[in-house]
């Protein structure tokens, strides 16, 4: 799966508050509370990005129609400066976010920050997901105006790090011309980045050229998608602002690299169009997963072993995910030579423009959920075509779900032991990831285990003595029976009438809890640590229903986990938030 280790998630990214709404003119359907984060392995079983439109092969990496260099936007005959239209469509987004402490989810705080956005068709504002993540209050302020308008999130695709926002007074910007979307830029094509970076309140414009186009791990969730590197400055506050070339939008500012000067990254048009097409059915589906993993075939011995001629190129299938599109159609040992008619090189890349190569998974990303993708394979020396239906988001093939937003993390406290579902947020919050936990990020759910459960920490008390250092312990069994999910563990503890509850980790390591003693001491332990509820809101019974009082206390907060993400050294987003505490090598450009 795609769980690499994000080198640094710089400043805190602002959260997303989705509220149902009606999208208009661009044909987007009624509101959608979209908290989707597909994310699945990159080179592993992850959910991959899609692109706009229906013909995946054609949309893969479209060549821009514009010239390589940015033509000067001269004043027109009527005396108008084209840049004024662009400036008029750029907004500053003011955000208040409510953020929970991952490993102590009963604790939270509010923060204020800001990012940038751009007006597109339908009176909508396009921005980064990390700008509005976990938001409880949003306001938008257009360039050249002092008035702020309250706004709300309509759709959000966390894996794409994109969101659609709209003023609550839907006609607020109806008279402002929307910016036009362009194409994927070429190398060395000149661009301008518009936004509201920290250090001032007015609009900033920086210039540079496109220096690299390849798949990158987006810092927000670690999803591996096509990104464009530019040498224009992208600073905190720039995130979500438009990147313009030849008068058209060619991308959205996303993240910057703290280790180098003037290196920033933008989300390019193929991903933007993919999201706009995705939400046309009224919901965010995300990216599909084809169901198999591959390795390169550059090694001469490997090539001889599989009987490949010098002119034959491709990659070797080494893993198939059960109940995935590939299950029963692709076999271990198959050699994939083409994807949607595009020739695969031995290192897994595809030439998308003369002399420019990109990882073949980009062509999977360019598909929407529900579309078919075609592979040409060699099996036992014979060539054949295989068509696979991308039937569901890649995150559903992940045992360890991706980062989640807009909810309180799930937790349950019993006898001072804090239990949580293992997801990417929990892993990111650890100082170091134990090998056993890291290995789970490459596993898919099974009938025996739909979700991994971790004892995140221990609230020291006399009844849990000798286990105070047992944090980050995977819980695999309760009373000799395997645990299927976090809720399974919660319900079994709640329903237990035994004198002792025995929990087991790896290698049969045991924790024994005196059930009656734990129930009796629970209120005191919670009071001692200032915790108002022994469980998150998603585990609390609806009003009016009966609850087993075994460990009842006051509820605490909501939580359903999202999708997975697996990154590797990356760069943080460039857009939101006020100065944080530590500044990593790369970070969001809020």
């Amino acid at each position: 799966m795609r769980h690499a280790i994000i080198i640094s998630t710089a400043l805190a990214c602002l959260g997303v508050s989705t509220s149902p709404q009606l999208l208009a003119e661009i044909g987007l359907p009624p509101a959608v509370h979209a908290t989707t984060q597909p994310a699945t392995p990159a080179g592993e079983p992850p959910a991959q990005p899609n692109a706009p439109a229906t013909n995946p092969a054609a949309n893969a990496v479209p060549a821009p129609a514009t010239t390589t260099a940015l033509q000067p936007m001269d004043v027109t005959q009527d005396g108008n400066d084209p840049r004024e239209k662009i400036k008029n469509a750029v907004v500053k987004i003011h955000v208040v976010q409510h953020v929970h402490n991952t490993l102590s989810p009963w604790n939270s705080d509010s923060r204020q920050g800001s990012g940038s956005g751009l007006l597109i068709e339908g009176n909508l504002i396009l921005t980064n997901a990390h700008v509005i993540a976990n938001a409880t209050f949003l306001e938008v302020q257009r360039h050249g105006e002092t008035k702020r308008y309250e706004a709300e999130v309509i759709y959000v695709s966390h894996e794409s790090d994109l969101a659609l926002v709209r003023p609550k007074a839907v006609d607020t910007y109806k008279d402002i011309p929307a910016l036009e979307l362009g194409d994927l830029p070429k190398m060395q094509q000149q661009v301008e980045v518009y936004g509201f970076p920290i250090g001032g309140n007015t609009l900033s414009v920086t210039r540079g050229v496109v220096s690299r186009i390849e798949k990158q791990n987006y810092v927000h969730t670690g999803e591996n998608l096509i990104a464009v590197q530019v040498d224009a400055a992208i600073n905190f506050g720039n995130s979500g602002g438009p990147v313009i070339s030849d008068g058209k939008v060619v991308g959205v500012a996303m993240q910057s690299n703290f280790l180098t000067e003037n290196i920033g990254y933008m989300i390019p048009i193929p991903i933007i169009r993919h999201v706009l097409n995705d939400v046309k059915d009224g919901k965010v589906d995300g990216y599909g997963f084809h169901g198999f993993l591959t390795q390169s075939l550059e090694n001469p011995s490997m090539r001889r072993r599989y009987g490949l001629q010098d002119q034959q190129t491709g990659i070797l299938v080494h893993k198939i995910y059960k109940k995935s599109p590939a299950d029963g159609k692709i076999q271990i040992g198959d050699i994939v030579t083409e994807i949607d008619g595009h020739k695969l090189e031995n290192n897994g890349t595809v030439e998308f423009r003369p002399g420019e190569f990109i990882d073949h998974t980009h062509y999977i990303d360019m598909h929407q959920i529900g579309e078919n993708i075609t592979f040409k394979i060699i099996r036992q020396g014979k060539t054949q075509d295989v068509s696979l239906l991308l039937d569901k988001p890649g995150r559903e093939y992940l045992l360890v779900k991706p980062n989640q937003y807009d909810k309180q993390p799930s937790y349950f406290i019993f006898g001072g032991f804090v239990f949580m579902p293992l997801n990417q947020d929990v892993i990111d919050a650890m100082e170091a990831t134990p090998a056993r936990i890291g290995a789970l990020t490459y596993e898919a759910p099974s009938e025996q285990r739909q979700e991994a459960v971790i004892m995140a920490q221990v609230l020291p008390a006399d009844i849990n003595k000798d286990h105070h250092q047992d944090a980050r312990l995977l819980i695999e069994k309760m009373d000799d029976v395997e645990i299927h999910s976090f809720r399974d563990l919660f319900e079994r503890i709640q329903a237990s009438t035994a004198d002792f509850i025995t929990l087991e980790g790896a290698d049969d390591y045991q924790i024994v809890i005196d059930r009656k003693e734990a129930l009796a001491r629970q209120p005191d332990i919670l009071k001692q640590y200032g915790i108002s509820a022994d469980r998150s809101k998603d585990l609390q019974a609806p009003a009016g229903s009966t609850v087993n009082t075994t460990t009842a206390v006051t509820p605490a907060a909501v939580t359903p986990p999202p999708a997975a993400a697996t990154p590797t050294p990356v760069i943080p987003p460039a857009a939101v938030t006020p100065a944080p505490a530590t500044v990593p090598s790369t970070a969001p450009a809020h």
Side-chain angles (χ1 to χ4, degrees):
M1 307 255 181
R2 226 196 59 182
H3 276 78
I5 295 174
I6 257 185
I7 254 204
S8 54
T9 45
L11 314 185
C13 296
L14 295 193
V16 158
S17 148
T18 50
S19 79
Q21 275 308 337
L22 212 340
L23 290 187
E25 303 150 71
I26 48 177
L28 300 183
V32 168
H33 187 143
T35 9
T36 142
Q37 254 194 75
T40 51
E44 272 133 344
Q48 329 237 9
N50 315 239
T54 49
N55 183 342
N59 287 325
V61 184
T66 58
T67 56
T68 302
L70 174 66
Q71 301 302 315
M73 289 188 283
D74 298 326
V75 174
T76 57
Q77 292 182 348
D78 56 8
N80 294 322
D81 182 351
R83 286 192 178 86
E84 288 306 310
K85 174 185 175 182
I86 297 171
K87 293 177 182 178
N88 289 337
V90 180
V91 301
K92 185 172 185 176
I93 301 175
H94 302 267
V95 189
V96 177
Q97 63 170 165
H98 184 221
V99 182
H100 289 274
N101 182 311
T102 300
L103 298 181
S104 300
W106 48 87
N107 292 326
S108 63
D109 59 38
S110 293
R111 305 172 187 170
Q112 295 186 32
S114 65
S116 305
L118 59 138
L119 288 169
I120 63 172
E121 290 184 23
N123 197 26
L124 297 170
I125 296 170
L126 179 65
T127 186
N128 285 141
H130 74 258
V131 170
I132 49 79
N134 301 313
T136 56
F137 185 72
L138 287 176
E139 287 183 313
V140 293
Q141 178 183 4
R142 195 168 62 85
H143 164 68
E145 294 183 344
T146 57
K147 186 173 181 179
R148 299 183 184 183
Y149 297 90
E150 192 173 346
E152 57 194 339
V153 176
I154 306 301
Y155 294 94
V156 57
S157 170
H158 285 292
E159 63 272 57
S160 306
D161 197 6
L162 290 172
L164 291 171
V165 176
R166 187 172 60 189
K168 288 190 174 179
V170 295
D171 292 334
T172 300
Y173 296 136
K174 67 183 178 76
D175 296 327
I176 307 300
L179 294 182
E180 183 181 353
L181 300 184
D183 299 294
L184 183 73
K186 293 181 179 178
M187 297 291 290
Q188 296 303 306
Q189 187 165 320
Q190 294 183 29
V191 296
E192 294 179 335
V193 179
Y194 291 72
F196 295 87
I198 57 175
N201 296 315
T202 56
L203 182 66
S204 167
V205 182
T206 56
R207 296 178 183 174
V209 298
V210 171
S211 53
R212 179 178 294 164
I213 300 174
E214 63 182 7
K215 293 193 71 177
Q216 291 271 355
N217 291 319
Y218 286 19
V219 172
H220 183 52
T221 62
E223 187 74 12
N224 187 260
L225 302 172
I226 185 174
V228 174
Q229 178 181 308
V230 297
D231 65 3
I234 295 180
N235 302 306
F236 285 94
N238 263 134
S239 282
V243 180
I244 304 292
S245 183
D246 207 19
K248 296 181 180 180
V249 178
V250 294
V252 169
M254 170 177 57
Q255 55 199 46
S256 58
N257 194 327
F258 284 157
L259 299 179
T260 55
E261 293 184 4
N262 291 339
I263 288 186
Y265 293 83
M266 70 175 188
I267 301 169
I269 288 298
I271 299 301
I272 294 172
R273 292 191 188 280
H274 175 271
V275 171
L276 294 179
N277 283 324
D278 186 356
V279 301
K280 284 184 176 179
D281 63 353
K283 64 183 187 299
V284 178
D285 296 310
Y287 301 104
F289 175 51
H290 54 310
F292 62 89
L293 303 185
T294 59
Q295 64 185 85
S296 63
L297 277 175
E298 296 182 290
N299 181 274
S301 298
M302 287 277 285
R303 293 179 58 76
R304 288 196 297 271
R305 159 68 177 79
Y306 287 95
L308 293 178
Q309 304 299 316
D310 290 344
Q311 73 278 10
Q312 291 179 307
T313 60
I315 50 180
L316 179 68
V317 175
H318 69 83
K319 181 173 183 176
I320 308 291
Y321 282 81
K322 291 183 179 179
K323 298 183 179 180
S324 72
D327 193 10
K329 291 189 173 184
I330 298 289
Q331 298 178 8
I332 292 176
D334 285 349
I335 296 168
V336 184
T337 61
E338 290 184 9
I339 178 171
D340 278 341
H342 300 279
K343 178 186 175 184
L344 273 163
E345 302 297 327
N346 291 323
N347 63 357
T349 62
V350 169
E351 186 175 30
F352 70 93
R353 290 194 300 215
E356 295 182 65
F357 293 82
I358 195 167
D359 191 89
H360 73 283
T361 56
H362 170 71
Y363 289 88
I364 300 171
D365 302 340
M366 291 299 93
H367 284 272
Q368 298 286 348
I369 301 291
E371 292 182 351
N372 287 287
I373 184 167
T374 302
F375 297 91
K376 187 178 289 295
I377 66 170
I378 298 175
R379 178 180 299 165
Q380 297 178 346
K382 296 181 180 179
T383 300
Q384 59 181 279
D385 291 329
V386 178
S387 180
L388 302 180
L389 173 66
L390 299 178
D391 58 348
K392 56 185 178 181
R395 63 182 174 275
E396 295 189 22
Y397 295 98
L398 294 171
L399 179 64
V400 177
K401 301 305 181 187
N403 306 88
Q404 67 177 25
Y405 300 91
D406 312 314
K407 358 181 144 164
Q408 176 194 33
S410 295
Y411 74 91
F412 173 55
I413 303 172
F414 188 67
F417 297 103
V418 181
F419 304 103
M420 301 181 71
L422 179 66
N423 58 29
Q424 193 60 39
D425 287 321
V426 173
I427 291 177
D428 291 345
M430 296 178 179
E431 292 184 3
T433 306
R436 188 180 295 272
I437 291 178
L440 293 179
T441 62
Y442 292 89
E443 291 189 16
S446 64
E447 293 181 3
Q448 293 72 33
R449 180 162 63 174
Q450 292 88 45
E451 186 175 49
V453 179
I454 189 170
M455 188 173 74
Q457 62 170 303
V458 180
L459 305 174
D462 55 350
I463 64 171
N464 53 42
K465 183 179 179 180
D466 201 30
H467 294 295
H468 295 173
Q469 306 304 316
D470 280 346
R472 304 185 304 171
L473 179 68
L474 286 170
I475 305 300
E476 300 180 356
K477 294 181 180 180
M478 174 179 160
D479 299 334
D480 289 327
V481 179
E482 289 186 350
I483 294 169
H484 302 301
S485 65
F486 172 66
R487 185 169 284 274
D488 176 43
L489 173 66
F490 168 73
E491 292 176 348
R492 285 166 60 183
I493 290 178
Q494 289 289 92
S496 177
T497 57
D499 291 336
F500 298 98
I501 291 174
T502 302
L503 302 176
E504 294 180 38
D507 302 319
D508 298 322
Y509 181 81
Q510 295 186 2
I511 293 176
V512 178
I513 303 173
D514 185 311
R515 188 181 65 84
K516 293 180 181 178
E517 185 179 36
L519 290 175
R521 293 298 313 282
Q522 184 89 322
D524 291 337
I525 293 174
L526 296 178
K527 182 178 180 181
Q528 179 181 355
Y529 289 94
I531 301 172
S532 61
D534 68 341
R535 70 199 71 180
S536 50
K537 288 181 181 177
D538 59 316
L539 297 180
Q540 296 169 22
S545 62
T546 328
V547 186
N548 182 334
T549 56
T550 47
T551 51
V553 185
T554 329
V558 222
T559 154
T566 62
T568 75
V570 167
I571 353 182
V576 183
T577 221
T582 42
V583 180
S585 60
T586 55
H590 294 13

